[in-house]
Amino acid sequence: MWLIDQWAEQRILDAQKKGELDNLPGTGQKLIFDDDTHVPADLRAGYRLLKNAGFLPPELIQRKEALELCELINTLTPEQPDYAVLKKRLLLLEIKLKQAGMSTEFLHTHYSFSINQKLAKE
């Protein structure tokens, strides 16, 4: 274990013994972990620091926008005027994400879920 890790562990144990960590906000609540498996291990700390400061890599901003567009498109019908424009924007984002090396399967889960439901009925 690195010296800094040992020092941090010792400080945490001392604080626990003194009761300084009791009754903190969020105590007993489930932790929500970010899925950062696509980020190389040596860059995760830097990405997390930037994310906590409100900055995201362009690919993640595009992924978030694509998810929002997908949800919006699901509320529209093909006859509505904005539908075609939003579908083109979503297709463009999907192409950009693929070029960045990211999977776009998250955009097609609703469609595959519908197919699986239909096949299960038959």
Side-chain angles (χ1 to χ4, degrees):
M1 191 181 283
W2 293 90
L3 184 61
I4 191 85
D5 293 334
Q6 291 175 348
W7 178 80
E9 283 294 322
Q10 188 59 45
R11 298 280 299 186
I12 291 169
L13 290 173
D14 292 344
Q16 284 176 334
K17 288 177 187 174
K18 294 177 186 175
E20 294 173 354
L21 302 178
D22 297 340
N23 302 321
L24 292 174
T27 299
Q29 294 179 359
K30 186 177 178 181
L31 293 175
I32 300 172
F33 295 105
D34 294 333
D35 179 22
D36 58 359
T37 54
H38 63 281
V39 178
D42 57 330
L43 298 176
R44 288 185 186 151
Y47 271 57
R48 179 146 310 157
L49 180 68
L50 289 171
K51 181 182 175 196
N52 290 342
F55 297 96
L56 288 175
E59 297 84 16
L60 293 182
I61 292 172
Q62 291 171 347
R63 183 181 192 279
K64 183 179 177 182
E65 183 181 351
L67 284 171
E68 290 170 356
L69 276 174
C70 198
E71 288 177 14
L72 182 59
I73 289 170
N74 287 336
T75 64
L76 299 175
T77 61
E79 295 80 30
Q80 290 178 304
D82 292 340
Y83 184 83
V85 173
L86 293 175
K87 283 291 274 188
K88 287 179 185 177
R89 176 69 184 147
L90 181 60
L91 181 61
L92 178 64
L93 281 173
E94 188 173 358
I95 291 169
K96 286 181 179 181
L97 288 170
K98 284 182 180 179
Q99 286 176 341
M102 292 184 68
S103 171
T104 57
E105 289 298 316
F106 64 92
L107 294 173
H108 305 288
T109 55
H110 176 70
Y111 181 69
S112 65
F113 178 73
S114 299
I115 291 174
N116 288 335
Q117 275 189 323
K118 186 167 184 163
L119 291 174
K121 289 180 184 177
E122 295 177 354

